[in-house]
Short mmCIF file of all heavy atoms in Angstrom, two decimals:
data_model
loop_
_atom_site.label_atom_id
_atom_site.label_comp_id
_atom_site.label_asym_id
_atom_site.label_seq_id
_atom_site.Cartn_x
_atom_site.Cartn_y
_atom_site.Cartn_z
N LEU G 1 10.95 -6.58 -11.76
CA LEU G 1 10.40 -7.93 -11.85
C LEU G 1 8.93 -7.98 -12.27
O LEU G 1 8.50 -8.95 -12.90
CB LEU G 1 10.59 -8.66 -10.52
CG LEU G 1 12.04 -8.93 -10.10
CD1 LEU G 1 12.06 -9.81 -8.85
CD2 LEU G 1 12.84 -9.59 -11.22
N ASN G 2 8.16 -6.98 -11.90
CA ASN G 2 6.73 -7.02 -12.25
C ASN G 2 6.48 -7.10 -13.76
O ASN G 2 5.64 -7.90 -14.20
CB ASN G 2 6.01 -5.81 -11.66
CG ASN G 2 5.49 -6.10 -10.26
OD1 ASN G 2 5.25 -7.24 -9.91
ND2 ASN G 2 5.34 -5.05 -9.47
N PRO G 3 7.17 -6.31 -14.59
CA PRO G 3 6.95 -6.44 -16.04
C PRO G 3 7.34 -7.82 -16.58
O PRO G 3 6.89 -8.21 -17.66
CB PRO G 3 7.85 -5.34 -16.64
CG PRO G 3 8.03 -4.35 -15.54
CD PRO G 3 8.06 -5.16 -14.29
N LEU G 4 8.17 -8.55 -15.82
CA LEU G 4 8.58 -9.89 -16.23
C LEU G 4 7.62 -10.96 -15.70
O LEU G 4 7.87 -12.16 -15.88
CB LEU G 4 10.00 -10.17 -15.72
CG LEU G 4 11.09 -9.20 -16.19
CD1 LEU G 4 12.42 -9.53 -15.52
CD2 LEU G 4 11.23 -9.24 -17.71
N ASN G 5 6.55 -10.50 -15.02
CA ASN G 5 5.54 -11.40 -14.43
C ASN G 5 6.11 -12.30 -13.34
O ASN G 5 5.61 -13.41 -13.11
CB ASN G 5 4.87 -12.25 -15.51
CG ASN G 5 4.01 -11.43 -16.45
OD1 ASN G 5 3.29 -10.53 -16.02
ND2 ASN G 5 4.12 -11.71 -17.75
N VAL G 6 7.15 -11.82 -12.68
CA VAL G 6 7.71 -12.55 -11.54
C VAL G 6 6.93 -12.13 -10.30
O VAL G 6 6.93 -10.96 -9.93
CB VAL G 6 9.21 -12.24 -11.35
CG1 VAL G 6 9.74 -12.94 -10.09
CG2 VAL G 6 10.00 -12.67 -12.58
N PRO G 7 6.24 -13.05 -9.63
CA PRO G 7 5.50 -12.67 -8.42
C PRO G 7 6.45 -12.22 -7.32
O PRO G 7 7.38 -12.94 -6.96
CB PRO G 7 4.79 -13.97 -8.02
CG PRO G 7 4.82 -14.83 -9.25
CD PRO G 7 6.07 -14.47 -9.96
N CYS G 8 6.23 -11.02 -6.80
CA CYS G 8 7.08 -10.50 -5.74
C CYS G 8 6.33 -9.40 -5.01
O CYS G 8 5.42 -8.78 -5.55
CB CYS G 8 8.40 -9.97 -6.28
SG CYS G 8 8.24 -8.63 -7.48
N GLY G 9 6.72 -9.19 -3.76
CA GLY G 9 6.06 -8.15 -2.98
C GLY G 9 6.98 -7.61 -1.91
O GLY G 9 7.61 -8.38 -1.18
N PRO G 10 7.08 -6.28 -1.80
CA PRO G 10 7.95 -5.70 -0.78
C PRO G 10 7.37 -5.90 0.61
O PRO G 10 6.16 -6.01 0.79
CB PRO G 10 7.96 -4.21 -1.14
CG PRO G 10 6.64 -3.98 -1.80
CD PRO G 10 6.35 -5.25 -2.56
N ILE G 11 8.22 -5.98 1.60
CA ILE G 11 7.78 -6.03 2.99
C ILE G 11 7.38 -4.60 3.37
O ILE G 11 8.25 -3.73 3.52
CB ILE G 11 8.90 -6.54 3.92
CG1 ILE G 11 9.46 -7.87 3.42
CG2 ILE G 11 8.37 -6.65 5.35
CD1 ILE G 11 8.42 -8.95 3.22
N LEU G 12 6.09 -4.35 3.47
CA LEU G 12 5.59 -3.01 3.77
C LEU G 12 5.30 -2.89 5.26
O LEU G 12 4.59 -3.72 5.83
CB LEU G 12 4.32 -2.72 2.97
CG LEU G 12 4.49 -2.67 1.45
CD1 LEU G 12 3.14 -2.42 0.77
CD2 LEU G 12 5.49 -1.60 1.04
N SER G 13 5.88 -1.87 5.88
CA SER G 13 5.65 -1.63 7.30
C SER G 13 4.27 -1.03 7.50
O SER G 13 3.62 -0.55 6.56
CB SER G 13 6.70 -0.67 7.84
OG SER G 13 6.51 0.64 7.29
N MET G 14 3.80 -1.03 8.74
CA MET G 14 2.51 -0.40 9.04
C MET G 14 2.56 1.10 8.74
O MET G 14 1.55 1.69 8.33
CB MET G 14 2.13 -0.64 10.50
CG MET G 14 1.54 -2.00 10.75
SD MET G 14 -0.01 -2.22 9.83
CE MET G 14 -0.01 -4.00 9.61
N LYS G 15 3.72 1.71 8.92
CA LYS G 15 3.85 3.14 8.60
C LYS G 15 3.68 3.36 7.10
O LYS G 15 2.98 4.27 6.66
CB LYS G 15 5.21 3.66 9.05
CG LYS G 15 5.41 5.16 8.86
CD LYS G 15 6.74 5.61 9.44
CE LYS G 15 6.89 7.14 9.42
NZ LYS G 15 6.84 7.71 8.07
N GLU G 16 4.31 2.49 6.30
CA GLU G 16 4.18 2.62 4.85
C GLU G 16 2.75 2.38 4.40
O GLU G 16 2.24 3.09 3.52
CB GLU G 16 5.13 1.63 4.16
CG GLU G 16 6.60 2.01 4.30
CD GLU G 16 7.53 0.92 3.80
OE1 GLU G 16 7.31 -0.26 4.17
OE2 GLU G 16 8.49 1.24 3.08
N LEU G 17 2.09 1.40 5.00
CA LEU G 17 0.70 1.14 4.64
C LEU G 17 -0.22 2.28 5.03
O LEU G 17 -1.11 2.67 4.27
CB LEU G 17 0.24 -0.16 5.31
CG LEU G 17 0.87 -1.45 4.77
CD1 LEU G 17 0.58 -2.61 5.70
CD2 LEU G 17 0.37 -1.74 3.37
N ALA G 18 0.02 2.85 6.21
CA ALA G 18 -0.82 3.96 6.68
C ALA G 18 -0.70 5.18 5.77
O ALA G 18 -1.64 5.97 5.65
CB ALA G 18 -0.44 4.33 8.11
N GLU G 19 0.46 5.33 5.13
CA GLU G 19 0.71 6.50 4.30
C GLU G 19 0.48 6.24 2.81
O GLU G 19 0.68 7.13 1.99
CB GLU G 19 2.15 6.99 4.53
CG GLU G 19 2.39 7.48 5.96
CD GLU G 19 3.85 7.79 6.24
OE1 GLU G 19 4.70 7.48 5.35
OE2 GLU G 19 4.16 8.32 7.32
N GLU G 20 0.07 5.03 2.45
CA GLU G 20 -0.10 4.66 1.04
C GLU G 20 -1.37 5.30 0.46
O GLU G 20 -2.49 4.96 0.87
CB GLU G 20 -0.15 3.14 0.90
CG GLU G 20 -0.50 2.63 -0.48
CD GLU G 20 0.42 3.19 -1.57
OE1 GLU G 20 1.65 3.15 -1.38
OE2 GLU G 20 -0.11 3.67 -2.59
N PRO G 21 -1.24 6.21 -0.50
CA PRO G 21 -2.42 6.92 -1.05
C PRO G 21 -3.45 6.00 -1.68
O PRO G 21 -4.66 6.23 -1.55
CB PRO G 21 -1.81 7.86 -2.10
CG PRO G 21 -0.37 8.00 -1.71
CD PRO G 21 0.02 6.70 -1.10
N SER G 22 -3.01 4.94 -2.35
CA SER G 22 -3.97 4.08 -3.04
C SER G 22 -4.90 3.37 -2.06
O SER G 22 -6.07 3.12 -2.38
CB SER G 22 -3.22 3.03 -3.88
OG SER G 22 -2.49 2.13 -3.06
N LEU G 23 -4.42 3.07 -0.86
CA LEU G 23 -5.26 2.41 0.14
C LEU G 23 -6.31 3.37 0.69
O LEU G 23 -7.40 2.96 1.10
CB LEU G 23 -4.42 1.84 1.27
CG LEU G 23 -3.44 0.73 0.86
CD1 LEU G 23 -2.64 0.25 2.06
CD2 LEU G 23 -4.18 -0.45 0.22
N ARG G 24 -5.98 4.68 0.71
CA ARG G 24 -6.98 5.68 1.11
C ARG G 24 -8.04 5.81 0.02
O ARG G 24 -9.24 5.92 0.30
CB ARG G 24 -6.31 7.04 1.33
CG ARG G 24 -5.17 7.06 2.34
CD ARG G 24 -5.66 6.90 3.77
NE ARG G 24 -4.56 7.07 4.70
CZ ARG G 24 -4.26 8.22 5.32
NH1 ARG G 24 -5.00 9.29 5.10
NH2 ARG G 24 -3.24 8.29 6.16
N GLU G 25 -7.59 5.80 -1.24
CA GLU G 25 -8.52 5.99 -2.35
C GLU G 25 -9.53 4.85 -2.46
O GLU G 25 -10.68 5.06 -2.82
CB GLU G 25 -7.73 6.11 -3.66
CG GLU G 25 -6.90 7.40 -3.74
CD GLU G 25 -5.94 7.39 -4.91
OE1 GLU G 25 -5.97 6.42 -5.70
OE2 GLU G 25 -5.14 8.34 -5.04
N THR G 26 -9.11 3.64 -2.12
CA THR G 26 -10.02 2.49 -2.22
C THR G 26 -10.84 2.29 -0.96
O THR G 26 -11.73 1.42 -0.93
CB THR G 26 -9.22 1.20 -2.49
OG1 THR G 26 -8.29 0.98 -1.41
CG2 THR G 26 -8.47 1.29 -3.81
N GLY G 27 -10.58 3.07 0.08
CA GLY G 27 -11.32 2.90 1.33
C GLY G 27 -10.83 1.75 2.18
O GLY G 27 -11.50 1.35 3.13
N THR G 28 -9.66 1.22 1.86
CA THR G 28 -9.09 0.14 2.66
C THR G 28 -8.56 0.68 3.99
O THR G 28 -8.63 0.01 5.02
CB THR G 28 -7.97 -0.56 1.88
OG1 THR G 28 -8.52 -1.07 0.66
CG2 THR G 28 -7.36 -1.70 2.67
N ILE G 29 -8.03 1.89 3.95
CA ILE G 29 -7.68 2.64 5.17
C ILE G 29 -8.47 3.93 5.14
O ILE G 29 -8.51 4.62 4.12
CB ILE G 29 -6.17 2.91 5.25
CG1 ILE G 29 -5.40 1.60 5.47
CG2 ILE G 29 -5.85 3.89 6.38
CD1 ILE G 29 -3.90 1.75 5.55
N VAL G 30 -9.13 4.24 6.25
CA VAL G 30 -10.05 5.38 6.30
C VAL G 30 -9.68 6.28 7.48
O VAL G 30 -9.36 5.80 8.57
CB VAL G 30 -11.51 4.90 6.46
CG1 VAL G 30 -12.47 6.08 6.47
CG2 VAL G 30 -11.88 3.92 5.35
N GLU G 31 -9.73 7.58 7.25
CA GLU G 31 -9.55 8.53 8.34
C GLU G 31 -10.93 8.92 8.87
O GLU G 31 -11.80 9.32 8.11
CB GLU G 31 -8.80 9.78 7.86
CG GLU G 31 -8.49 10.75 8.99
CD GLU G 31 -7.68 11.95 8.53
OE1 GLU G 31 -8.27 12.86 7.91
OE2 GLU G 31 -6.45 11.97 8.77
N VAL G 32 -11.10 8.77 10.17
CA VAL G 32 -12.39 9.01 10.82
C VAL G 32 -12.22 10.09 11.88
O VAL G 32 -11.18 10.16 12.54
CB VAL G 32 -12.93 7.71 11.46
CG1 VAL G 32 -14.27 7.95 12.12
CG2 VAL G 32 -13.04 6.61 10.41
N ASP G 33 -13.24 10.92 12.04
CA ASP G 33 -13.19 11.99 13.04
C ASP G 33 -14.03 11.58 14.25
O ASP G 33 -15.22 11.26 14.12
CB ASP G 33 -13.72 13.29 12.44
CG ASP G 33 -13.25 14.52 13.24
OD1 ASP G 33 -12.52 14.34 14.23
OD2 ASP G 33 -13.61 15.64 12.85
#
């Protein structure tokens, strides 16, 4: 659907968000010691 410009979004769980590499790269989710 995205190439057809149909707005849509998957229901992402907190586990999926925590493991999403792009969110780590942008600093939206950060690992702290």
